[in-house]
Amino acid sequence: LVSHSYRERPMFSSLAVALNKYTSLWQLGLPESKEPQKVLLVQCHPCATSYSAAVASAVRDGLKKQGNQVQCISLYANSLGFVEDATVRGIPAPTEFHPALTDHERTHYYDVAKSGLAPDVEKAVNLLRWCDALVLVYPTWWFNVPGALKGFFDRTFLPHVAFRLPDEEIKNSTDTGLVPMLTNIKKIGVVTTYGAPKNIALLAGDNGRQMISRAFRPLFNPECPMVWMGLYAMHDKTQEQRSAFLEEVRERFSRF
């Protein structure tokens, strides 16, 4: 473990971020925010009472304990915690996000952000532009993100929202060849569950983690670290082990 004194050293934090960008499995010494942040939490699971929903609630509890301002998107609009919280606060419950890219959105892909977004996409885009940090909670299926989360990326990480194509005037592209436009996002967090053990997930490419780290993170702030937590072989875990992981998640995001 890295001591708190090391976490406060800028040189050590910069090295940790560089290692984290090389491989998102590197988690030691990542900088921890001293000030409250605006955090967008995106939760994706079709079952309202799933373990993944419990993980999302643990993330939210930790973030709120730190004093962060948290906005939530439940892609299936069925996370009980999010719906109950909305009821308590007297605001509308989450609306379902439709993951399928429409004919209009694909045909007008490069100008749809200018010509008008669907209501569910516009809401998500506004939150992506609002937040300082993005947290994703989902189950890993077939070594990748669920289809609904991939659809969220397809419909919201649009030209003129998440990136621009380089031209004569704009040449500051990333390694992906795109010019980032969500540089307001200074940190990303991911918590996911796996049916497979860690060695099998890595052998299969761990595609969800790689996609988020290699394709989407370059669209954020250049120094954006990625906090990664995974529960592997979860079907073999006891109730005590699952509960312990929830506590780990809650504690980690209380110092996000």
Side-chain angles (χ1 to χ4, degrees):
L1 294 176
V2 180
S3 69
H4 184 71
S5 60
Y6 274 105
R7 290 194 195 105
E8 294 177 344
R9 298 182 184 181
M11 184 177 296
F12 188 85
S13 292
S14 297
L15 175 60
V17 171
L19 289 169
N20 176 257
K21 291 171 73 174
Y22 178 75
T23 171
S24 51
L25 293 177
W26 181 276
Q27 294 293 304
L28 294 180
L30 296 181
E32 297 173 6
S33 177
K34 304 296 183 182
E35 302 295 330
Q37 305 168 88
K38 296 179 292 185
V39 184
L40 173 59
L41 170 57
V42 179
Q43 183 259 353
C44 178
H45 197 287
C47 301
T49 57
S50 66
Y51 182 75
S52 185
V55 170
S57 293
V59 169
R60 187 185 57 172
D61 291 345
L63 290 170
K64 287 191 172 182
K65 182 178 180 180
Q66 193 184 29
N68 298 300
Q69 185 178 350
V70 184
Q71 292 287 337
C72 304
I73 295 177
S74 177
L75 295 185
Y76 288 92
N78 65 353
S79 172
L80 292 180
F82 295 169
V83 173
E84 290 171 358
D85 184 57
T87 302
V88 169
R89 290 189 292 149
I91 62 175
T95 55
E96 184 176 3
F97 185 91
H98 301 285
L101 197 68
T102 67
D103 176 89
H104 174 80
E105 289 170 337
R106 181 54 225 172
T107 303
H108 300 276
Y109 183 71
Y110 292 100
D111 60 11
V112 68
K114 296 179 179 179
S115 62
L117 300 170
D120 57 340
V121 176
E122 183 176 19
K123 176 183 177 181
V125 164
N126 288 339
L127 288 173
L128 285 169
R129 288 170 167 166
W130 163 84
C131 68
D132 302 316
L134 173 65
V135 181
L136 307 169
V137 179
Y138 62 88
T140 293
W141 291 335
W142 296 108
F143 306 107
N144 213 323
V145 301
L149 184 55
K150 178 57 166 60
F152 174 82
F153 294 143
D154 288 342
R155 296 189 71 212
T156 61
F157 280 67
L158 298 166
H160 310 293
V161 172
F163 65 91
R164 294 178 186 172
L165 298 177
D167 56 29
E168 290 300 320
E169 296 181 0
I170 306 173
K171 298 181 179 180
N172 298 323
S173 63
T174 66
D175 292 339
T176 64
L178 304 175
V179 179
M181 292 190 67
L182 287 175
T183 53
N184 53 292
I185 299 178
K186 301 176 180 65
K187 183 175 288 189
I188 183 169
V190 178
V191 188
T192 187
T193 55
Y194 296 80
K198 186 173 183 177
N199 63 319
I200 298 300
L202 293 177
L203 281 172
D206 206 358
N207 301 304
R209 177 177 62 84
Q210 296 284 15
M211 177 180 66
I212 294 167
S213 179
R214 304 294 186 191
F216 296 123
R217 179 164 44 168
L219 306 179
F220 304 152
N221 187 280
E223 298 303 313
C224 176
M226 181 167 160
V227 174
W228 180 270
M229 297 185 74
L231 180 65
Y232 297 88
M234 70 164 293
H235 302 299
D236 297 328
K237 296 291 188 288
T238 64
Q239 184 60 46
E240 289 73 20
Q241 290 173 317
R242 295 184 187 192
S243 296
F245 183 73
L246 291 178
E247 286 304 315
E248 290 178 27
V249 169
R250 193 172 288 109
E251 189 279 329
R252 179 63 185 89
F253 282 88
S254 70
R255 52 184 179 84
F256 183 57

